[in-house]
């Protein structure tokens, strides 16, 4: 217990000294986690949702201010209808659980218009009831990085813009008000971004884990923080 506490304090300190404000997770590997246990893929998504809460709370407790998670991509509609339906049901049930969470401000990033109206209303309700809390969680759902940029540019054009700046685009993205991710973590032993935060990731550090998402632990978060604190970010300078 004492040991566990000590690690936590050290990691909290590292979060502070390294300036780690925003961590984004590509929560990949739920399906393979389930298949390797002889379980249906949906069981993997349930295990993934459970682990998401553990990791998200831990990030909050060690002093990270912003977390973004990739939960459903604009390309995930290509999956069998039964799996898509299971993911929508899971989203719906997780909204109830989320309402009990303290200190967490929820924001869904992505195109909500394609989501069933009853669920969408509950997403809006969760966002409204948790506004302006100290820890911000962005849930990327029906999210695609390219679609987000197109949406941003179209909204600027509809406001009358004839040319746009980088700042204009940043402000028109779903992540407005949130610093770019300092580090993007992908689990599931795949080494790509899969259309996640295409604009915001320009200078993000990248961290890849061979673990399937349901197995990604608090200790693994500690490893991310430790690794981040060793990276030298130059942003093109010297
Ligand atoms: C990530 O896990 C969750 C979603 C994309 C919804 P996967 O479902 O992609 O799991 P694998 O990659 O097939 O194991
Ligand atoms: C990325 O995982 C999307 C989410 C984790 C929600 P995918 O499993 O959809 O990515 P690809 O298809 O392997 O690139
Ligand atoms: Mg996958």
């Amino acid at each position: 217990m004492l040991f566990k506490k000590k690690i936590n304090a050290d990691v909290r300190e590292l979060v502070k000294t390294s300036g780690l404000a925003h961590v984004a997770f590509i929560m990949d590997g739920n399906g393979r986690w389930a298949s390797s246990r002889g379980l249906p893929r949906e069981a993997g998504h349930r295990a993934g949702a459970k682990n998401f809460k553990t990791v998200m709370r831990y990030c909050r407790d060690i002093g990270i201010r912003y977390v973004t998670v990739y939960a459903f991509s604009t390309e995930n509609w290509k999956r069998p209808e039964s799996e898509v339906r299971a993911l929508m049901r899971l989203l719906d049930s997780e909204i109830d659980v989320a309402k009990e969470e303290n200190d967490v401000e929820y924001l869904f990033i992505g195109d909500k218009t394609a989501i069933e109206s009853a669920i969408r209303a509950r997403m809006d309700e969760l966002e409204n009831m948790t506004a302006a809390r100290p820890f911000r969680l962005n849930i990327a759902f029906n999210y695609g990085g390219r679609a987000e940029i197109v949406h941003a540019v179209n909204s600027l054009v509809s406001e009358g813009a004839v040319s746009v700046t980088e700042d204009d685009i940043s402000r028109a993205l779903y992540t407005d008000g949130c610093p770019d991710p300092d580090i993007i973590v992908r689990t599931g032993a795949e080494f790509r971004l899969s259309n996640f935060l295409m604009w915001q990731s320009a200078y993000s550090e990248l961290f890849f884990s061979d673990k399937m998402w349901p197995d990604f632990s608090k200790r693994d978060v500690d490893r991310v923080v430790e690794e981040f604190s060793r990276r030298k970010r130059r942003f093109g300078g010297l």
Side-chain angles (χ1 to χ4, degrees):
M1 194 57 208
L2 202 65
F3 179 61
K4 216 170 153 191
K5 244 184 170 167
K6 184 167 181 298
I7 295 237
N8 205 307
D10 288 349
V11 169
R12 267 192 81 89
E13 192 56 29
L14 263 189
V15 167
K16 221 185 282 169
T17 55
S18 66
L20 179 52
H22 184 182
V23 182
F25 293 95
I26 301 174
M27 307 185 290
D28 196 20
N30 293 344
R32 281 164 287 162
W33 180 91
S35 301
S36 71
R37 286 164 175 75
L39 297 169
R41 291 180 56 86
E42 286 74 9
H45 294 312
R46 282 196 299 274
K50 182 163 182 263
N51 196 47
F52 146 72
K53 283 169 281 193
T54 304
V55 169
M56 180 269 288
R57 289 177 190 138
Y58 185 66
C59 288
R60 176 195 60 193
D61 294 346
I62 60 175
I64 294 167
R65 171 76 178 79
Y66 304 89
V67 166
T68 301
V69 293
Y70 205 4
F72 189 90
S73 76
T74 47
E75 288 72 38
N76 288 147
W77 296 103
K78 293 178 194 162
R79 296 190 179 196
E81 207 191 309
S82 59
E83 180 163 344
V84 170
R85 229 180 305 119
L87 287 164
M88 296 298 153
R89 270 201 309 273
L90 191 57
L91 165 68
D92 199 24
S93 63
E94 286 300 318
I95 291 174
D96 278 336
V97 184
K99 285 182 180 160
E100 310 292 313
E101 208 67 52
N102 288 324
D103 303 333
V104 183
E105 172 181 7
Y106 287 84
L107 189 84
F108 290 96
I109 62 170
D111 179 11
K112 276 190 205 149
T113 60
I115 294 163
E116 192 191 302
S117 63
I119 300 181
R120 196 165 73 213
R122 285 152 54 62
M123 292 161 93
D124 291 339
E125 186 195 13
L126 179 66
E127 289 178 334
N128 293 333
M129 72 179 275
T130 63
R133 289 187 178 171
F135 169 81
R136 159 108 161 241
L137 176 70
N138 299 317
I139 301 179
F141 203 95
N142 193 23
Y143 174 89
R146 289 184 174 182
E148 179 186 35
I149 295 168
V150 170
H151 174 265
V153 172
N154 280 333
S155 66
L156 293 166
V157 168
S158 72
E159 287 163 12
V162 280
S163 71
V164 296
T165 64
E166 291 191 8
D167 279 345
D168 292 335
I169 293 183
S170 292
R171 274 197 302 270
L173 296 174
Y174 297 121
T175 49
D176 179 35
C178 192
D180 289 341
D182 295 301
I183 190 162
I184 297 178
V185 177
R186 183 173 189 144
T187 60
E190 305 286 5
F191 309 99
R192 54 178 171 261
L193 292 175
S194 301
N195 204 11
F196 189 45
L197 302 176
M198 296 312 335
W199 179 274
Q200 300 89 332
S201 62
Y203 270 99
S204 301
E205 297 297 320
L206 303 175
F207 185 103
F208 296 100
S209 167
D210 287 340
K211 287 199 178 174
M212 300 299 123
W213 173 256
D215 290 329
F216 193 81
S217 66
K218 296 179 193 175
R219 184 66 194 107
D220 291 313
V221 175
D222 291 348
R223 288 192 187 97
V224 170
V225 174
E226 284 155 12
E227 172 65 23
F228 178 78
S229 72
R230 284 192 294 269
R231 300 273 177 103
K232 290 268 173 296
R233 303 181 84 187
R234 283 183 289 275
F235 299 100
L238 293 179

